[in-house]
């Protein structure tokens, strides 16, 4: 078991919009004691640390925040990676993936060389592949390498279901699983309002809500595109999802979160990283929860994993 420390230390690599939304949410939720910021753009990391520190006087937190170096990872509990390059006009998805792999090569090497022995949390897209790359390059136990997976998609789903049924989203138990991307889907057969299956509620109402459920699935799947169209990037929601995962780790909560985890036989998959409900605690993923998917959902999940496996195999020199 990774020792419980009284100095919860996070090193954040990549101080762009996502990284800093995470950092800002960490500060507001007092979710760690020490935060070190690293970016290729050192000036930016320095400026961001200054800006956050000036907010300390207005927060209930005593966080130590500074810009740092990879050597700082030696004593970190969690290394969070939000670094990445944006897609250039005309660039293929695969070219982008290859460039982000190079970015990760320049990050994971120095992190592991520092002697880091904690948990990796990855948000960079395509997140399932980048998490798998982190696992491969670090040689870490896969249970200590997590991606944000479909945590945000699941939060979006629960919010929309809460609105639809006029029920607190925290009482809507439903998961988006698979790739964080086009092939993700809602496991409706397992979706519950408290302990009542949503499909059963739907059936009782003469199935008139089936179309609405389809619309909700589609809204979840395309939410990122809609936000990007409106404001160029998404960052607050993912920042808060990452803090939720961070709290589950530091608090050894054993909370169920749909993170990207390596499947080792669960759902009939081996080696692929995908968004699935996992029990998350101090050591990362304690257990991947197998859901009782319908035959149709199992096939969707298999196809989603196949997409991820193919993308990973296309990578050069890994
Ligand atoms: P951004 O461009 O604002 O920030 C990226 C940062 O990475 C920059 O500050 C850049 O200097 C830094 N960087 C680049 N190469 C680096 C290197 N080699 N070493 C250290 N730092 C390096 O981008 P963003 O909006 O913050 O998005 C970051 C990533 O998060 C993207 O891949 C994006 O697609 C992803 N994202 C994921 C989710 C999710 O649900 N997982 C949601 C939103 C965004």
């Amino acid at each position: 078991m990774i020792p419980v420390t009284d100095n919860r230390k996070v090193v954040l690599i990549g101080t762009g919009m996502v990284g800093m939304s995470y950092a800002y949410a960490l500060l507001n939720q007092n979710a760690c004691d020490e935060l070190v910021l690293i970016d290729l753009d050192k000036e930016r990391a320095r400026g961001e640390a200054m800006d956050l520190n000036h907010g300390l006087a207005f927060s209930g937190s005593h966080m130590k925040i500074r810009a740092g170096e990879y050597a700082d990872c030696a004593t970190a509990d969690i290394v969070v990676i939000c670094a990445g390059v944006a897609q250039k006009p005309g660039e293929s998805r695969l070219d982008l993936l290859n460039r982000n792999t190079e970015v990760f090569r320049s990050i994971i090497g120095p992190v592991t060389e520092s002697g880091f022995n904690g948990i990796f949390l990855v948000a960079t897209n395509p997140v399932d592949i980048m998490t798998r790359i982190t696992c491969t390059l670090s040689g870490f136990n896969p249970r200590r390498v997590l991606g944000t997976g479909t945590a945000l998609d699941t939060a979006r789903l629960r919010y929309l279901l809460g609105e639809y049924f006029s029920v607190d989203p925290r009482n809507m138990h439903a998961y988006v699983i698979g790739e964080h991307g086009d092939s993700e889907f809602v496991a409706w057969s397992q979706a519950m309002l408290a302990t009542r299956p949503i499909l059963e509620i739907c059936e009782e109402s003469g199935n008139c809500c089936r179309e609405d459920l389809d619309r909700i699935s589609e809204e979840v799947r395309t939410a990122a595109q809609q936000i990007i169209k409106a404001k160029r990037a998404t960052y607050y929601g993912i920042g808060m999802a990452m803090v939720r995962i961070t709290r589950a780790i530091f608090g050894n909560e054993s909370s169920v979160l749909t993170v990207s985890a390596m499947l080792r036989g669960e759902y009939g998959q081996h080696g692929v990283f995908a968004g699935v409900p996992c029990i998350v605690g101090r050591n990362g993923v304690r257990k991947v929860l197998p859901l009782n998917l319908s035959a149709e959902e199992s096939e969707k999940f298999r196809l989603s994993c196949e997409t991820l496996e193919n993308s990973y195999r296309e990578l050069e020199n890994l």
Side-chain angles (χ1 to χ4, degrees), residues 142-159:
R143 290 298 178 246
R144 291 206 274 128
V145 185
L146 290 68
T148 51
T150 45
L152 176 58
D153 317 72
T154 295
R156 285 170 177 154
L157 171 67
R158 293 172 72 172
Y159 160 72

Side-chain angles (χ1 to χ4, degrees), residues 19-291:
M20 290 319 297
S21 299
Y22 168 67
Y24 187 60
L26 273 181
L27 174 59
N28 281 303
Q29 295 185 38
N30 198 11
C32 71
D33 302 299
E34 189 178 352
L35 174 65
V36 178
L37 306 179
I38 298 178
D39 198 284
L40 195 60
D41 183 346
K42 290 192 174 184
E43 262 307 278
R44 178 168 191 173
R46 199 178 65 82
E48 293 289 6
M50 284 176 71
D51 202 359
L52 284 185
N53 273 323
H54 299 163
L56 270 176
F58 307 110
S59 86
S61 165
H62 300 283
M63 261 167 84
K64 297 273 172 255
I65 307 167
R66 62 187 167 83
E69 306 292 335
Y70 282 104
D72 287 299
C73 298
T75 51
D77 300 290
I78 310 178
V79 165
V80 176
I81 311 180
C82 304
V85 285
Q87 198 153 8
K88 290 178 184 163
E91 186 178 47
S92 75
R93 187 192 52 83
L94 186 58
D95 288 340
L96 175 70
L97 190 52
N98 278 319
R99 281 204 299 133
N100 264 337
T101 305
E102 284 316 305
V103 168
F104 269 45
R105 215 184 280 284
S106 75
I107 291 171
I108 309 296
V111 172
T112 50
E113 280 156 25
S114 75
F116 172 62
N117 189 29
I119 292 167
F120 277 107
L121 174 60
V122 179
T124 305
N125 274 323
V127 71
D128 305 288
I129 312 277
M130 299 318 297
T131 310
R132 187 168 177 181
I133 289 169
T134 302
C135 189
T136 305
L137 294 177
S138 65
F140 267 39
N141 178 330
R143 290 298 178 246
R144 291 206 274 128
V145 185
L146 290 68
T148 51
T150 45
L152 176 58
D153 317 72
T154 295
R156 285 170 177 154
L157 171 67
R158 293 172 72 172
Y159 160 72
L160 290 171
L161 285 175
E163 291 280 295
Y164 184 72
F165 288 104
S166 298
V167 168
D168 186 331
R170 284 169 295 195
N171 299 123
M172 303 303 314
H173 304 288
Y175 300 111
V176 178
I177 60 172
E179 173 197 17
H180 170 62
D182 288 346
S183 68
E184 70 181 33
F185 64 97
V186 179
W188 287 117
S189 72
Q190 304 300 304
M192 306 274 178
L193 188 165
T195 57
R196 292 216 51 208
I198 286 176
L199 291 183
E200 201 179 284
I201 297 172
C202 223
E203 226 167 82
E204 276 171 14
S205 70
N207 267 332
C208 59
C209 68
R210 265 328 283 252
E211 270 179 25
D212 295 327
L213 297 189
D214 289 344
R215 179 184 48 74
I216 287 172
S217 299
E218 189 58 14
E219 213 169 313
V220 169
R221 213 174 50 76
T222 58
Q225 292 158 29
Q226 286 177 41
I227 297 171
I228 288 168
K229 196 171 159 207
K231 51 173 262 186
R232 287 202 290 276
T234 82
Y235 32 89
Y236 299 132
I238 184 61
M240 292 187 75
M242 290 158 71
V243 173
R244 179 68 196 89
I245 298 167
T246 303
R247 295 181 79 93
I249 295 170
F250 279 134
N252 198 17
E253 287 180 5
S254 295
S255 292
V256 176
L257 299 165
T258 41
V259 292
S260 189
M262 185 193 272
L263 299 177
R264 298 193 291 190
E266 301 90 353
Y267 300 87
Q269 298 292 326
H270 297 269
V272 70
F273 276 74
V276 279
C278 294
I279 301 177
V280 178
R282 192 74 184 89
N283 288 326
V285 173
R286 206 184 84 207
K287 190 177 167 32
V288 170
L289 278 184
L291 294 177

